[in-house]
Amino acid sequence: MQPRTSLASWQALIAHAKEMKQQHMSDLFKQNTQRFEQFSIKLAPFLLDYSKNLIGEQTMTKLFDLARECNIEDWREKMFSGERINTTEDRSVLHVALRNRSQSPMILDDKNINTDVQQALDQIKSFSDKIRQGLWKGYSGKRITDVVNIGVGGSNLGPQMVTEALKQYSDQSVNVHYVSNVDGTQIANVLRPLNPEKTLFIVSSKTFTTTETMTNAKTAMNWLVSSSFDESSIAKHFVAVSSNKKNATEFGIKTENIFDMWDWVGGRFSLWSAIGLPIAIDLGFDRFIELLEGAHEIDRHFVESPLEQNAPVILALLSLWNCTFLGAQSQAILPYDQSLHMLSAYLQQAEMESNGKSVNWEGEAINYPTVPSIWGELGINGQHAFYQYLHQSNNIVPADFIGSVESVTPVQGHHETLMANFFAQTQALMQGVDEQQVRTDLKAKGRRPDYIDKVAPHKVHKGNRPTNTILMKRISPRSLGSLIALYEHKIFTQGILLQICSFDQWGVELGKGLANNIQRELTKNTISQNHDSSTKGLMSYYQKSKSTKE
Ligand code: F6P
């Protein structure tokens, strides 16, 4: 297939990148006082300022040329109209249908799937209302006080990230907990303070085959039955969210307690479906709908705005510019809002599982750098940990700074300190400070010349480090929905620009298969001679150490 590198706009960007690498952003700001107005977008849920990137007008023109040569608008249309753009799995990609609040028809295989979506929403409403109002009773007739979501990856990160972000909106009529790790420590810690009579489990697994989730679910069932002494109690304490009804039923969950999922919703894009059940239980159904509405608002923006004003498209183009053309290898997600403390973990799966691949749609090797590794932490915590690296290492790490105009939990004197840091960091990363300035400052402080000579090089900050700033008005169900959808569409666009199949995840299968084989050996206390010497050595050490008493 025609590689992206053969496009005129791609070649123009390679040449342009060479020129731009000679520029410093602080000069670009001095030369053009309108940079902020030129390179920012104000939308209802947030402001996106991308002026602190190593870009000029020409850069953006060339990037938009590339977007057009890559037919981004056609691909967008294909996704929204239900074409099977997940080609390796032969599936449509229609998570946008889950939040289609305008009710415009979403046609899949000649059927309007809005009806299915509405039925699922009705089921979520009815169930979450019952739990929240204490109408759903456990085996001994007591109301449910605690809900434990058992799931991993997309069946965990989305709902957990959202409930953590929207804690202030929860009336705490029910406590929601999460178990994702197969390390028994997690489920043991979660269950320890809970009462089986008042605990309900949601087993969330699209495939209902994920070993970690099944293991945790079995442990939870045993925990329940060891208290109720009655297997029929499972019906009152277990529900499932899955597209594999057969496995869920065989596992022991009643058909009427299974919430449907569809193969046109990818796991990492599924929080808008019944996978979001813990969100509806924690916040109430109306808040869940607000989350969907916020996402829908960005869906409309993504579909209706010209590329030049299209926030997800711009974020995708800038990621491509920074990584593929300027050579950055990772990207930091740095929220300055405590509510978003799980955002980088969530976006790691969303972006890296989607686009962390090295062959194109036809399976041919991609021979240019693609997407960065995503990492991050709350900004303030990061400042006192790894920001040294962001400011002065030889590696340039483009970063998204995300903050809020208003705190959801205002505490006298805190927010201004937080936001002062938020603004200062992107300024420092952009401007840097050169040696001459360092020397002048040290001299002004009365430092001796030999001290200045020794210390000056260590205090130089080269600056010129790209950042995007996303400034939310306030974290709310609606604005959070918009923020998540912004990144989802960025990831989609990035995949198209790079010719990557964004909606499969074959890269996680190899390890799963090997783990299954090794687990069989560990259980039988054997070691296959087919393993490499390192794996054999490690397994042997593990097995011997287990049987040795200290
Ligand atoms: O192993 C990766 C993965 O398949 C993710 O894509 C998915 O979100 C997660 O596992 C959980 O899968 P499931 O919902 O089928 O248990």
Side-chain angles (χ1 to χ4, degrees), residues 36-78:
F36 173 75
E37 284 71 20
Q38 201 175 348
F39 300 124
S40 65
I41 299 180
K42 287 191 193 83
L43 300 178
F46 49 74
L47 160 80
L48 166 65
D49 170 25
Y50 58 98
S51 61
K52 292 192 184 96
N53 279 280
L54 190 54
I55 54 168
E57 205 174 315
Q58 271 196 48
T59 322
M60 293 314 294
T61 306
K62 289 181 193 330
L63 286 169
F64 292 124
D65 287 348
L66 176 67
R68 292 214 162 80
E69 277 202 278
C70 295
N71 302 318
I72 292 297
E73 287 140 315
D74 292 349
W75 280 99
R76 186 178 61 188
E77 170 61 22
K78 285 183 193 184

Side-chain angles (χ1 to χ4, degrees), residues 45-46 290 294 472 474-484:
F46 49 74
E290 284 167 26
M472 324 266 298
R474 189 171 199 264
I475 298 292
S476 67
R478 191 178 294 272
S479 68
L480 182 65
S482 295
L483 182 70
I484 301 168

Side-chain angles (χ1 to χ4, degrees), residues 315-328:
L315 284 184
L317 289 170
L318 290 170
S319 168
L320 185 78
W321 172 244
N322 284 326
C323 300
T324 308
F325 294 100
L326 297 180

Side-chain angles (χ1 to χ4, degrees), residues 150-157 204-214 241-243 261 266-270 275 349 353 503-505 507-509 512:
I150 298 178
V152 70
S155 301
N156 159 258
L157 283 165
S204 275
S205 176
K206 183 176 166 188
T207 55
F208 231 82
T209 57
T210 306
T211 315
E212 296 89 328
T213 300
M214 297 304 112
V241 184
S242 185
S243 57
M261 260 188 98
R268 52 192 171 275
F269 304 99
S270 64
I275 291 287
Q349 188 201 16
E353 198 167 82
F503 299 101
D504 58 26
Q505 56 283 319
V508 295
E509 296 303 326
K512 278 189 196 172

Side-chain angles (χ1 to χ4, degrees), residues 133-157:
Q133 292 161 12
L135 302 175
W136 182 289
K137 305 279 196 249
Y139 70 84
S140 61
K142 295 188 177 138
R143 68 176 287 165
I144 298 297
T145 55
D146 293 85
V147 169
V148 180
N149 188 78
I150 298 178
V152 70
S155 301
N156 159 258
L157 283 165

Side-chain angles (χ1 to χ4, degrees), residues 280-300:
I281 293 173
D282 192 22
L283 306 178
F285 184 73
D286 292 349
R287 297 287 196 203
F288 183 63
I289 291 294
E290 284 167 26
L291 184 82
L292 305 190
E293 282 168 352
H296 181 64
E297 202 172 320
I298 293 299
D299 294 343
R300 298 311 320 151

Side-chain angles (χ1 to χ4, degrees), residues 1-7 10-11 14 323-325 357-361 363-371 497-500:
M1 81 190 294
Q2 194 192 6
R4 293 301 193 216
T5 45
S6 68
L7 298 176
W10 189 281
Q11 289 304 321
I14 292 179
C323 300
T324 308
F325 294 100
K357 294 158 191 171
S358 52
V359 294
N360 66 19
W361 297 318
E364 298 153 349
I366 294 176
N367 59 0
Y368 45 82
T370 56
V371 289
L497 292 169
L498 292 163
Q499 295 182 316
I500 282 175

